[in-house]
Amino acid sequence: MTSSGTVMVIIGTRPEAIKLAPLVLALRALELPTRVCLTGQHPEMAAEALDPFGIAADANLALMRPGQSLSELTERAVGALALLLARERPAWVVVQGDTTSALAGAIAARQAGIPVAHVEAGLRSFDLSQPYPEEINRTLIARLATLHFAPTPGARVNLRAEGVPDAAIAVTGNTVVDALHRTLRDLPPAVPADRRLILATLHRRENREAAFPEIIGALAAIAARGDVEVLLPRHPGCPPGIYAPLEACPAARLVPPMPYPAFVAALAAAHLVVTDSGGVQEEASALGVPTLVVRALTERPEVVEAGTALVVDTARGGILAAVTRLLDDDEAHRRMANASTRIGDGKAAERIARRLHDELHAARRPAA
Ligand code: UDP
């Protein structure tokens, strides 16, 4: 199959869109022909997240069906992406992170003989059941990728331990910091708020049954203090009923998924964050916003090492105690509120684009 010389960037969900947008812009700045394909895993949110970066998708596979299982999505995504790749014949396929779309993209590319670049490679919880299915997806993608763009030295260590050769790994920083810096630059000045803001996001699949009522219960109790506002943008992947106890609280605001610039503005203004999100832990660390991770573990140890995040698990009492401490003990809050560059320095996309550019040009050069 003769390659068309393009780079095909495959995006399934909102976080992939946010984290790959800076790379699409960096590839285009180097004049590498770059195509963006949405799988439709997040039917609207991925395209909406690309919009503030001025990026429109070139293809949308619209793969989501009501009640579709992960296996059905994987099967349909591999099939549809295989057809797209056969038609477009890219020189490289780029996937990001740990979604079903990223795994399907890596499988389809590899089966078509197209090299795969994996952005945000090497994150590990070392537990295939959490986060689920993300840990499964990213470990499988590591077996398929040709180039592994590790965000941190720790991610590189994980890949080396799995036998990935050093020459196939580049430590670049996480592109989420590039997206964050770019977005902050264009934000209007913040308006001071009356009450301290607690920003919360929740969506992890493995948290939904047992842990969500605990976390939501803790947030409802915190909102009842009267001196804070709890802002929680819903995640469309979660059944709406799970947020119900918060709906009755006047000091809690449940809102639809926020556009990325509005979310970044809220994050920058927040006194603290309660989240089970991966990307939000990273962004909060880069901004120095104290973060309570409501999960049993994090595959992003850098945010804990940086001192910006604490893993508090999902029990109501533990969350309540940790939030209360950060609200009532200024010194405890101050100790966590230091912006860190461990996650990235804002130049990750440039490094990845440059490496792909060099790979493409090396492949075109005639053999001596
Ligand atoms: N985000 C957003 N609007 C929201 C909530 C989150 O733009 O209402 C962004 C957030 O800034 C981060 C990403 O979405 O970059 C995180 O996505 P999510 O928590 O869904 O996924 P994860 O990072 O856990 O994979």
Side-chain angles (χ1 to χ4, degrees):
M1 182 173 87
T2 322
S3 157
S4 63
T6 56
V7 178
M8 171 68 76
V9 177
I10 294 174
I11 294 173
T13 64
R14 172 177 64 193
E16 290 162 89
I18 291 167
K19 289 174 169 180
L20 287 175
L23 178 58
V24 171
L25 297 177
L27 289 166
R28 289 183 174 157
L30 292 177
E31 297 184 353
L32 286 181
T34 303
R35 308 267 294 160
V36 176
C37 170
L38 300 182
T39 65
Q41 185 173 340
H42 278 171
E44 279 110 34
M45 284 204 311
E48 282 165 11
L50 288 177
D51 195 52
F53 296 92
I55 299 170
D58 300 293
N60 189 337
L61 303 177
L63 290 172
M64 280 318 266
R65 296 288 174 274
Q68 184 168 245
S69 70
L70 281 176
S71 305
E72 285 165 327
L73 174 61
T74 313
E75 179 193 331
R76 297 185 59 239
V78 173
L81 285 165
L83 291 176
L84 180 84
L85 296 179
R87 207 166 52 237
E88 300 229 357
R89 298 172 293 105
W92 277 87
V93 162
V94 175
V95 297
Q96 196 280 340
D98 48 29
T99 67
T100 303
S101 297
L103 174 61
I107 294 172
R110 215 48 209 223
Q111 287 179 342
I114 301 167
V116 175
H118 185 203
V119 175
E120 198 183 80
L123 272 61
R124 294 291 180 270
S125 68
F126 304 102
D127 179 346
L128 290 181
S129 70
Q130 56 178 334
Y132 171 83
E134 289 86 351
E135 181 76 359
I136 298 173
N137 292 341
R138 60 191 169 213
T139 50
L140 292 175
I141 296 169
R143 303 304 306 271
L144 300 168
T146 314
L147 272 180
H148 307 251
F149 293 110
T152 62
R156 177 178 168 279
V157 169
N158 294 339
L159 291 165
R160 292 290 292 126
E162 291 172 15
V164 176
D166 216 17
I169 308 171
V171 178
T172 60
N174 197 308
T175 54
V176 78
V177 182
D178 307 31
L180 183 68
H181 285 179
R182 198 185 181 92
T183 305
L184 282 170
R185 205 182 56 201
D186 298 337
L187 284 181
V191 184
D194 308 338
R195 285 179 296 181
R196 288 175 294 177
L197 177 67
I198 298 178
L199 181 61
T201 75
L202 297 173
H203 74 94
R204 293 254 90 82
R205 207 172 266 266
E206 71 279 4
N207 266 355
R208 285 182 199 166
E209 278 182 17
F212 263 59
E214 294 280 313
I215 305 168
I216 296 284
L219 290 172
I222 294 154
R225 281 173 56 116
D227 61 346
V228 295
E229 181 187 14
V230 175
L231 174 64
L232 192 154
R234 296 170 189 274
H235 192 286
C238 295
I242 58 178
Y243 301 111
L246 266 185
E247 267 153 29
C249 304
R253 265 201 301 145
L254 272 170
V255 296
M258 295 166 74
Y260 187 57
F263 186 82
V264 168
L267 186 59
H271 190 68
L272 66 101
V273 170
V274 175
T275 191
D276 64 5
S277 160
V280 177
Q281 289 174 53
E282 296 162 343
E283 291 162 339
S285 189
L287 288 172
V289 183
T291 301
L292 300 174
V293 180
V294 283
R295 290 170 54 180
L297 49 80
T298 179
E299 63 280 72
R300 292 161 166 92
E302 296 82 4
V303 297
V304 177
E305 288 155 17
T308 55
L310 284 177
V311 178
V312 294
D313 214 338
T314 57
R316 186 180 187 277
I319 299 167
L320 201 50
V323 173
T324 304
R325 176 132 197 260
L326 286 176
L327 288 172
D328 296 343
D329 178 347
D330 288 346
E331 181 51 26
H333 184 272
R334 200 199 49 73
R335 274 198 302 272
M336 291 180 74
N338 301 305
S340 168
T341 53
R342 281 180 199 235
I343 289 296
D345 63 356
K347 296 191 171 70
E350 214 175 288
R351 294 186 185 103
I352 297 169
R354 174 63 57 194
R355 175 71 186 261
L356 285 172
H357 176 273
D358 293 350
E359 295 283 337
L360 270 159
H361 282 264
R364 273 186 215 143
R365 224 173 288 133

